Amino acid sequence: MWDQRYATDEFMYGTEPNTFLAEHAQRLVGPVLSLAEGEGRNAVYLASLGLDVLGVDSSAVGLAKAQRLAAANGTTIQTEVVDLTRYTPPPQAFGSVISIFAHLPSEDRKRLHRVVENALKPGGIMLLEGYSQAQLAYGTGGPKDLNMLLTRADIESEFPHCEILLSREIEREVIEGQLHTGMASVVQFVGRKRER
Ligand SMILES: C[S@@+](CC[C@H](N)C(=O)[O-])C[C@H]1O[C@@H](n2cnc3c(N)ncnc32)[C@H](O)[C@@H]1O
């Protein structure tokens, strides 16, 4: 499905970074692992700040566009086609992990969050934004399946080794490409992995 969606010259989520990510990018340290990177808007933005970024996604078409976007911006990013329901990054390899609108079935998400928290170095930053369960009523983007949507409590419990720097569920206007446009309900989280 995602390969089909991305098989157009248009960038479905635009080429500007996610606004929550841009607001908190100064907290990030490299190397950065970007989950469900899609067409590259977030990875290319972080690379333009001088960070090393690995963007992973199951869509080869999306990641090819990400590489083209990086080249067009004079930046370099690493990309890897992976299935996040099975992917396990190496332990303590990343200074930051970002997850922007990466929606998986809850059991797969819980497993992924366990392994990506383990992939953070001590002191590393976890940054996430995704649609909350209240988003079902908004109809402005995201999966139509409650099981793939987020609660703040779930996200807090899925990063038990992180000190919470920011955690909230808010209503905000999301204007990030034709598939994500309008008032939306999102969960936002920034955590720092404890040193021990
Ligand atoms: C809503 S898009 C968000 C893309 C990007 N994070 C952004 O904000 O522009 C969701 C992305 O999740 C990816 N995805 C969905 N299921 C996946 C899976 N099991 N493994 C890897 N990527 C997956 C899709 O290919 C798609 O690029």
Side-chain angles (χ1 to χ4, degrees):
M1 179 185 89
W2 289 100
D3 275 346
Q4 281 173 8
R5 261 189 194 171
Y6 290 150
T8 158
D9 286 340
E10 191 185 345
F11 281 75
M12 303 309 286
Y13 301 102
T15 54
E16 295 301 314
N18 167 261
T19 56
F20 176 66
L21 172 66
E23 279 162 27
H24 295 277
Q26 78 285 353
R27 295 180 187 268
L28 302 182
V29 283
V32 181
L33 172 63
S34 174
L35 304 173
E37 173 54 46
E39 301 162 300
R41 64 187 181 120
N42 296 317
V44 168
Y45 167 71
L46 295 177
S48 76
L49 301 181
L51 293 163
D52 287 335
V53 189
L54 170 63
V56 296
D57 198 286
S58 56
S59 172
V61 175
L63 293 180
K65 282 168 92 173
Q67 287 292 356
R68 286 200 294 278
L69 185 64
N73 282 270
T75 57
T76 305
I77 60 171
Q78 306 300 313
T79 51
E80 192 179 335
V81 177
V82 307
D83 177 358
L84 288 173
T85 66
R86 294 157 187 264
Y87 178 60
T88 299
Q92 303 204 3
F94 294 95
S96 307
V97 176
I98 68 163
S99 173
I100 305 296
F101 300 121
H103 290 279
L104 297 175
S106 59
E107 285 310 309
D108 293 323
R109 187 193 70 230
K110 286 179 202 300
R111 187 208 70 89
L112 179 65
H113 286 174
R114 203 163 49 242
V115 297
V116 299
E117 188 181 57
N118 196 39
L120 279 174
K121 297 177 185 183
I125 297 292
M126 180 71 221
L127 181 149
L128 172 147
E129 181 173 53
Y131 289 117
S132 80
Q133 294 194 345
Q135 174 64 8
L136 268 188
Y138 288 71
T140 52
K144 304 282 180 275
D145 178 353
L146 206 59
N147 184 251
M148 296 175 79
L149 294 165
L150 311 177
T151 70
R152 174 182 162 183
D154 279 342
I155 297 306
E156 289 182 4
S157 72
E158 288 167 23
F159 295 105
H161 303 292
C162 286
E163 170 198 354
I164 296 173
L165 304 180
L166 180 159
S167 177
R168 62 191 176 199
E169 179 176 330
I170 57 165
E171 184 184 69
R172 80 167 181 97
E173 193 162 40
V174 177
I175 308 288
E176 303 191 1
Q178 55 167 273
L179 297 178
H180 287 178
T181 290
M183 284 309 289
S185 178
V186 295
V187 172
Q188 299 178 331
F189 178 89
V190 183
R192 183 188 291 117
K193 189 171 175 183
R194 293 189 190 87
E195 298 289 338
R196 39 187 293 137

